[in-house]
């Protein structure tokens, strides 16, 4: 017999997707790579303090962790990190080199061969010594990587340089034993990629005030017999051209993704391979992200698309791309190739991220690791729609709509659902269309979610990204409001029950929306930027310390704009209830931003709650934190919208 359908008001539908379940399934596999014929990757462990472990898939298909708790494979270079591990095969087994999050030291180990041994020293200065993108070179007895070295206690007192670390452990107590491969020429560098013949190295570099999606330089140098880089020269890129990734083809040609046409397209020794108004690259938020990988046959595995990134095989001779068949509509920027095998991390609208292998010879794609398993009946999953709305001036605004959906419930006739507009972080980023149990947590209870890829988002070319230039706090706020109001106008959402939420840059957009519009009845603000003047003059980390020059304008030239746009300066305009969530270890958007905002809200009588979390930084990783945050958010909406979700702890709002 079929399940009976109950008529219940939106927001009061019972759901098997509880907060603990959603939190336990947060995160995705990442940093895939081949070790011999095996596939390895890093994997999240939300229920183990939020650490990331290293997983290997043996030839018989079994998966096993390489490193037990408390080892946490994660780098803090540029705070967002990057590829934290690499391994090579030896007679004694795989030699693994990895970064441990707790002390940021580089370690080496052979699985089953004893405890990992440190390769690099601790530093008493500032944030210490940090490493990323290790590349073991056992023939030289070294591992090549990027070193981020603090020279003082300030967040911008540091240098970054390409280095060689001895594999014998002689640098574990001696910084001077770390050999520098190239002089310190740029503020930011990626790890070197060495040509197949070992004679050349290529890497990306850029300097303040640019972000890597604004402009990077592709540098090539000769590798001397002594292992130093010589005659370094820029071969592509510049202040207005972003090279997202560079690597070598098996025949020694230099491949790279450049947005010189307004779209990240692929080039081979400067020649375009597939000219399309699609992205074959993306924003370099983490060092070592990979959107393409060369195969031995000369073909190239690529991630490409508009507003999405799917996996395909590019024939550089014809410019044709054949996409992998399967349910995956989005791939993360991590690819690896071995022979004609390609490994990536893909997800779909009804499945989470899983490790996918594509055989380029047969075209067959299959899941080989971290397979998606339905945590609940998939009938409770969201049923998303891709929409394009019209913003101010007739501009397109891209969004993903997740209407309320529960197979056992329907709303009374004539009732319109509440909707929450989600503003993604970055802001130079986007919301991928993938299964997200945090979204299901709301939609299965009768609350709609609209993910807005506002102007400034990636996936739609450089012109779309450029809409936010000096317009942050304006275009993003307008685009989110345009989507919310359009949903109300068309009868999809209840105009009186609209909310806005976001984290990091999305937290900024949420707070700015509450301060400058009357669209929303409440909002959730997660580890946000709230005070531009403070954030832009020393309250954040080095990587983004000059980001506001493009998003707002140079502070020396437009200081008033920093004040005008900051929600912290306009607390009197915030009248809607809000929830503020903050990690106390966040050095990107530090707690002082929230504290300053709350001090200016004091005594104004606006209902709100401020929850802080010990041990959490920028982006919550612990299951208990994520569950508490979700329940608090739902309770806020319940109180403001008049909902009665069963089994949700009440959030105490103060005035």
């Amino acid at each position: 017999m079929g399940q009976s359908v109950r008529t219940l008001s939106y927001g009061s539908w019972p759901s098997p997707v509880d907060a603990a379940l959603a939190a336990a399934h947060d995160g995705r596999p990442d940093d895939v790579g081949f070790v011999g014929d095996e596939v390895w990757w890093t994997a999240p462990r939300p229920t183990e303090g939020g650490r990331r472990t290293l997983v290997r898939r043996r030839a018989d298909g079994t998966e096993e962790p390489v490193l037990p708790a408390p080892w946490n494979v994660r780098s803090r270079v540029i705070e967002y990190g990057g590829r934290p591990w690499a391994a090579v095969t030896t007679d004694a087994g795989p030699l693994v080199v990895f970064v441990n999050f707790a002390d940021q030291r580089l370690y080496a180990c052979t699985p089953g061969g004893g405890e990992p041994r440190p390769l690099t020293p601790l530093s008493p200065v500032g944030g210490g010594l940090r490493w990323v993108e290790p590349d073991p070179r056992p023939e030289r007895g070294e591992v090549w990587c990027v070193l981020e070295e603090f020279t003082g206690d300030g967040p911008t007192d540091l240098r970054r340089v390409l280095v060689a670390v001895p594999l014998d452990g002689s640098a574990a107590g001696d910084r001077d034993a770390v050999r520098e491969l190239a002089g310190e020429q740029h503020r930011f560098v990626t790890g070197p990629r060495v040509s197949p013949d070992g004679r050349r190295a290529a890497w990306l570099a850029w300097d303040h005030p640019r972000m890597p999606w604004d402009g990077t330089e592709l540098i090539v140098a000769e590798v001397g017999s002594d292992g130093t880089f010589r005659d370094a020269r820029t071969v592509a890129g510049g202040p207005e051209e972003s090279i997202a990734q560079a690597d070598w083809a098996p025949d020694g040609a230099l491949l790279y993704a450049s947005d010189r046409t307004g779209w990240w397209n692929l080039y081979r020794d400067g020649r375009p391979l597939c000219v399309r108004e699609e992205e074959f690259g993306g924003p370099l938020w983490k060092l070592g992200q990979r959107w393409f990988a060369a195969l031995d046959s000369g073909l190239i595995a690529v991630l490409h698309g508009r507003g999405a990134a799917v996996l395909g095989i590019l024939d550089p001779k014809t410019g044709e791309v054949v996409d992998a068949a399967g349910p995956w509509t989005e791939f993360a920027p991590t690819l690896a190739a071995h022979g004609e095998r390609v490994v990536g991390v893909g997800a779909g609208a009804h499945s989470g991220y899983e490790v996918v292998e594509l055989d380029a010879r047969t075209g067959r794609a299959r899941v080989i690791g971290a397979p998606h398993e339905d945590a609940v009946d998939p009938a409770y999953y969201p049923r998303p729609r891709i929409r394009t709305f019209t913003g101010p001036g007739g501009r397109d605004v891209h969004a993903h709509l997740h209407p309320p959906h529960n197979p056992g419930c329907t709303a009374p006739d004539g009732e319109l659902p509440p909707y929450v507009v989600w503003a993604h972080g970055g802001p130079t980023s986007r919301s991928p269309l993938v299964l997200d149990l945090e979204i299901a947590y709301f939609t299965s209870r009768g609350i709609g979610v609209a993910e807005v890829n506002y102007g400034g988002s990636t996936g739609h070319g450089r012109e779309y990204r450029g809409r936010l230039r000096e317009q942050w706090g304006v275009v993003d706020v307008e685009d989110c409001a345009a989507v919310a109001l359009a949903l109300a106008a068309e009868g999809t959402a209840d105009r009186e029950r609209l909310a806005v939420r976001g984290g990091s840059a999305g937290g900024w957009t949420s707070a700015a929306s509450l301060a400058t519009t009357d669209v929303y009845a409440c909002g959730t603000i997660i580890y946000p930027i709230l005070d531009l003047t403070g954030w832009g003059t020393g309250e954040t980390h080095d990587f983004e310390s000059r980001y506001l020059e493009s998003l707002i304008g140079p502070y020396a030239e437009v200081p008033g704009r920093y004040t005008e746009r900051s929600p912290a300066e306009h607390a009197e305009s915030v009248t809607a209830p809000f929830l503020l969530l903050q990690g106390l270890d966040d050095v990107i958007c530090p707690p002082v931003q929230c504290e300053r905002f709350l001090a200016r809200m004091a005594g104004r009588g606006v209902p709100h709650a401020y929850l802080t979390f010990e041990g959490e930084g920028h982006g919550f990783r612990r299951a208990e934190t994520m569950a508490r945050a979700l329940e608090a958010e739902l309770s806020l909406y319940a109180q403001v919208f008049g909902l009665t979700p069963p089994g949700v702890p009440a959030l105490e709002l103060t005035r």
Side-chain angles (χ1 to χ4, degrees):
M1 296 178 63
Q3 180 182 7
S4 61
V5 178
R6 302 165 62 190
T7 299
L8 296 170
S9 292
Y10 287 115
S12 63
W13 300 348
S15 169
V17 185
D18 63 24
L21 182 74
H25 288 79
D26 191 77
R28 70 178 187 220
D30 206 349
D31 309 308
V32 295
F34 283 94
V35 182
D37 290 330
E38 294 183 358
V39 178
W40 294 29
W41 62 88
T42 63
R45 295 290 185 262
T47 58
E48 297 179 22
R51 76 180 184 102
R52 291 193 72 87
T53 190
L54 187 59
V55 174
R56 69 187 295 183
R57 180 185 187 272
R58 293 187 175 273
D60 62 4
T62 58
E63 294 179 24
E64 64 182 46
V66 177
L67 297 162
W71 296 104
N72 187 353
V73 185
R74 181 177 156 217
S75 171
R76 282 188 61 184
V77 168
I78 69 169
E79 293 301 344
Y80 293 111
R83 190 173 181 85
W85 76 276
V88 293
T89 55
T90 70
D91 292 340
L95 171 63
V96 185
V97 178
F98 69 95
V99 179
N100 183 47
F101 180 74
D103 57 13
Q104 287 300 290
R105 299 174 85 179
L106 205 59
Y107 286 80
C109 70
T110 298
E115 281 289 296
R117 53 188 176 84
L119 300 181
T120 58
L122 292 168
S123 171
V125 179
L129 302 171
R130 301 174 179 178
W131 319 82
V132 75
E133 288 199 84
D135 179 14
R137 318 295 296 181
E139 72 280 4
R140 293 184 179 273
E142 297 175 327
V143 53
W144 293 0
C145 59
V146 175
L147 163 62
E148 181 177 82
E149 181 175 23
F150 280 75
T151 57
D153 292 329
T156 61
D157 297 334
L158 47 74
R159 62 194 293 263
R160 299 178 185 88
V161 66
L162 305 178
V163 298
V165 176
L167 282 168
D168 62 8
S170 58
D174 181 10
R175 162 66 180 85
D176 292 337
V178 176
R179 183 171 66 87
E180 298 194 3
L181 295 168
E184 181 187 354
Q185 299 173 336
H186 296 276
R187 188 71 170 186
F188 302 95
V189 292
T190 65
R193 306 294 298 177
V194 181
S195 61
D197 61 10
R199 298 173 61 182
R200 292 175 294 168
W203 65 93
L204 305 180
W206 67 98
D207 294 286
H208 284 317
R210 283 178 284 155
M211 299 300 287
W213 42 86
D214 296 325
T216 55
E217 296 178 30
L218 171 52
I219 298 174
V220 173
E222 307 301 317
V223 179
S225 58
D226 60 352
T228 58
F229 296 168
R230 302 173 178 173
D231 302 322
R233 59 199 182 278
T234 298
V235 300
E240 301 296 329
E241 179 185 356
S242 170
I243 311 294
Q245 180 194 337
D247 210 339
W248 302 93
D251 63 359
L254 184 59
L255 303 172
Y256 58 89
S258 165
D259 73 346
R260 63 182 56 161
T261 65
W263 298 83
W264 275 301
N265 280 186
L266 207 56
Y267 294 79
R268 174 186 163 96
D269 287 337
R271 178 177 64 86
L273 295 181
C274 182
V275 180
R276 294 188 183 186
E277 290 190 347
E278 293 184 12
E279 304 285 33
F280 287 73
L284 193 65
W285 278 103
K286 296 182 178 182
L287 303 187
Q289 289 179 308
R290 303 191 71 191
W291 291 267
F292 68 84
L295 309 181
D296 287 350
S297 62
L299 300 175
I300 306 169
V302 296
L303 303 183
H304 72 105
R306 294 186 69 157
V310 297
L311 174 63
I313 299 295
L314 167 65
D315 185 340
K317 294 181 179 178
T318 64
E320 295 181 353
V321 180
V322 177
D323 291 336
W328 313 286
T329 54
E330 181 74 38
F331 276 79
T334 176
L335 281 181
H338 176 60
E340 298 305 302
R341 297 167 62 195
V342 179
V343 174
V345 175
H350 305 289
S351 59
Y353 285 101
E354 46 197 1
V355 181
V356 177
E357 180 178 290
L358 170 64
D359 187 329
R361 294 166 299 186
T362 65
R364 181 187 177 215
R366 63 190 179 113
V367 176
I368 64 165
H372 168 78
E373 296 180 358
D374 290 319
V376 297
D377 185 339
Y380 289 92
Y381 292 165
R383 297 184 174 179
R385 307 168 188 168
I386 299 173
R387 295 281 302 272
T388 300
F389 294 86
T390 301
R395 63 179 183 249
D396 288 343
V397 181
H398 304 290
H400 302 148
L401 201 63
H402 304 267
H405 174 71
N406 184 311
C409 296
T410 188
D413 290 342
E415 182 180 348
L416 293 176
Y419 257 81
V420 184
V421 169
W422 283 27
H424 63 72
T428 309
S429 184
R430 62 180 174 87
S431 295
L433 187 61
V434 300
L435 176 63
D436 185 339
L437 290 185
E438 285 197 4
I439 294 177
Y441 178 75
F442 294 103
T443 58
S444 61
R445 286 170 168 76
I447 301 173
V449 172
E451 297 180 289
V452 181
N453 285 314
Y454 48 80
S457 301
T458 56
H460 300 279
R462 189 172 184 120
E463 181 180 352
Y464 196 84
R465 294 202 315 270
R467 288 184 186 178
L468 212 57
R469 191 168 188 86
E470 298 192 1
Q471 295 297 310
W472 195 36
V474 178
V475 166
D476 50 325
V477 170
E478 291 177 345
D479 286 359
C480 287
V483 171
L485 293 174
L487 293 176
E490 70 186 27
T492 298
D494 185 342
R495 173 65 183 88
E496 303 304 315
R497 296 194 293 177
L498 298 173
V500 62
R501 75 98 85 162
S504 187
W508 154 270
T509 300
S510 299
S513 296
L514 295 181
T516 61
T517 79
D518 61 358
V519 172
Y520 309 101
C522 62
T524 301
I525 305 166
I526 310 169
Y527 38 82
I529 302 164
L530 296 169
D531 175 11
L532 294 177
T533 300
W535 199 81
T537 56
E539 285 183 0
T540 191
H541 63 142
D542 184 61
F543 178 58
E544 294 178 273
S545 62
R546 305 280 295 276
Y547 195 6
L548 297 183
E549 293 193 26
S550 61
L551 293 175
I552 304 296
Y555 180 73
E557 298 176 15
V558 290
R561 192 181 295 166
Y562 282 60
T563 302
E564 174 190 347
R565 301 265 183 92
S566 295
E569 297 288 344
H570 299 283
E572 74 284 352
S573 299
V574 178
T575 58
F578 63 88
L579 168 64
L580 197 53
L581 302 169
Q582 178 67 49
L584 293 179
D585 292 350
D586 194 338
V587 298
I588 296 173
C589 295
V592 67
Q593 291 267 312
C594 293
E595 293 161 5
R596 191 175 296 137
F597 177 70
L598 290 172
R600 293 170 181 173
M601 290 293 302
R604 299 199 51 255
V606 177
H608 68 277
Y610 179 42
L611 303 184
T612 60
F613 301 96
E614 294 276 0
E616 293 283 15
H618 198 67
F620 300 152
R621 295 175 178 271
R622 299 178 177 181
E624 60 270 25
T625 300
M626 293 182 281
R628 176 73 179 101
L630 276 176
E631 290 176 341
E633 184 178 355
L634 180 56
S635 180
L636 171 72
Y637 304 149
Q639 294 180 55
V640 174
F641 296 153
L643 314 178
T644 56
V648 177
L651 172 70
E652 183 180 352
L653 298 176
T654 60
R655 293 178 181 269

